[in-house]
Amino acid sequence: MEATPHVLVVDDHREIREALAQYLERHGMRASIAESAIAARRVLGAAAIDLVVLDVMMPGEDGLQLCRHLRATTRLPIILLTAMAEETDRIVGLEVGADDYVTKPFNPRELLARIRAVIRRSQSLPPGREPPSAGVRRFDRWLLDDGRRQLVDEEGVVTPLSTGEFRLLVALLERPGMVLSRDQLLDLTQGRRSVPFERAVDNQVSRLRKKIERDPKDPKLIMTVWGGGYRFAGKVEDA
């Protein structure tokens, strides 16, 4: 990542995107602007962007649709701008892969702090495959089809995975042998600000173990590292 972070501001309101870009530049960042998802794709194809500030409510392809695309094809940190205050609306944004959200009207100083925090957090994450593959991975007796989000055993039987379980499994398979802390797993799987519920990760691991381990009470794939977090101990191959 460049020493000076390059932020792309995507908003169909010219006053908002231009004012925000000027504010970011006054505070030591580079900023590009786009008025639509189409324009954002052009900028992303031409420049090295470190973070996207993305308005949810845009005509045509909206922010949630673009967020889904970016999350499926890149590891770019994304902060959503939304005028919707309902908790369920915020959750939808986080579930499609946003790292954080800010509701309108917003304080630019707060947004700047959020941008810096998300960039710091993304830099601290352990490396994985770049960009995330949409292929098939083999481990133990399982095949995980990333594109279809299907977990299939050696007999061809599909085991359903929740979105959280799928993201957790991908995070582990992309970093076999690495110890991932609970905070890192929250960032990798939730795509949002850290929440003070470490048990959320433990519960997710427990559910995933019940689906992939031969004996969930004596796991051989997802190993607990006391005081550290979790480590995927199985061999992972591209199928």
Side-chain angles (χ1 to χ4, degrees):
M1 183 175 291
E2 299 176 358
T4 301
H6 191 173
V7 178
L8 172 60
V9 180
V10 187
D11 197 303
D12 61 317
H13 291 92
R14 185 179 65 182
E15 297 81 2
I16 293 177
R17 65 177 181 266
E18 292 185 351
L20 179 54
Q22 292 171 7
Y23 182 85
L24 295 176
E25 289 177 343
R26 288 199 304 270
H27 288 80
M29 295 190 175
R30 299 173 60 202
S32 294
I33 57 176
E35 72 278 7
S36 66
I38 293 175
R41 291 172 189 267
R42 287 199 297 266
V43 175
L44 289 166
I49 299 297
D50 297 313
L51 181 141
V52 179
V53 176
L54 179 58
D55 183 34
V56 170
M57 301 298 292
M58 296 190 299
E61 183 181 4
D62 65 22
L64 293 180
Q65 291 174 303
L66 181 57
C67 183
R68 287 190 186 96
H69 169 74
L70 293 177
R71 186 51 64 239
T73 58
T74 76
R75 297 186 186 282
L76 275 176
I78 302 167
I79 296 179
L80 292 180
L81 294 180
T82 173
M84 300 178 291
E86 291 295 327
E87 186 68 21
T88 53
D89 295 323
R90 300 176 188 177
I91 291 172
V92 169
L94 298 173
E95 286 181 342
V96 299
D99 295 88
D100 202 350
Y101 62 86
V102 175
T103 56
K104 294 180 178 180
F106 59 87
N107 184 321
R109 183 177 179 181
E110 177 188 359
L111 178 55
L112 176 63
R114 298 282 185 91
I115 289 172
R116 287 172 172 165
V118 170
I119 289 176
R120 283 197 305 270
R121 194 167 69 232
S122 67
Q123 289 175 319
S124 71
L125 292 176
R129 297 181 178 181
E130 275 296 346
S133 68
V136 180
R137 312 168 205 257
R138 177 184 291 110
F139 66 97
D140 194 53
R141 66 189 190 280
W142 300 100
L143 291 176
L144 180 68
D145 187 325
D146 289 4
R148 296 182 178 180
R149 295 197 169 196
Q150 286 186 343
L151 180 65
V152 185
D153 67 14
E154 53 200 354
E155 296 179 356
V157 178
V158 175
T159 296
L161 294 176
S162 68
T163 297
E165 291 165 352
F166 173 79
R167 290 177 178 171
L168 174 61
L169 183 55
V170 168
L172 292 168
L173 294 182
E174 287 185 339
R175 301 162 181 85
M178 296 182 63
V179 177
L180 299 174
S181 71
R182 290 174 175 81
D183 284 343
Q184 288 173 330
L185 286 171
L186 277 172
D187 285 331
L188 288 165
T189 60
Q190 301 295 328
R192 59 185 174 87
R193 289 172 289 167
S194 297
V195 290
F197 303 122
E198 290 189 351
R199 291 295 302 173
V201 172
D202 296 333
N203 291 337
Q204 198 82 269
V205 168
S206 178
R207 289 194 292 270
L208 186 56
R209 278 173 170 165
K210 291 178 181 178
K211 294 185 176 182
I212 69 172
E213 298 279 3
R214 297 176 189 271
D215 181 1
K217 295 181 180 180
D218 183 24
K220 303 300 183 184
L221 297 175
I222 304 177
M223 308 299 294
T224 301
V225 180
W226 300 111
Y230 295 97
R231 175 176 62 87
F232 190 82
K235 181 180 180 180
V236 182
E237 299 175 317
D238 289 329

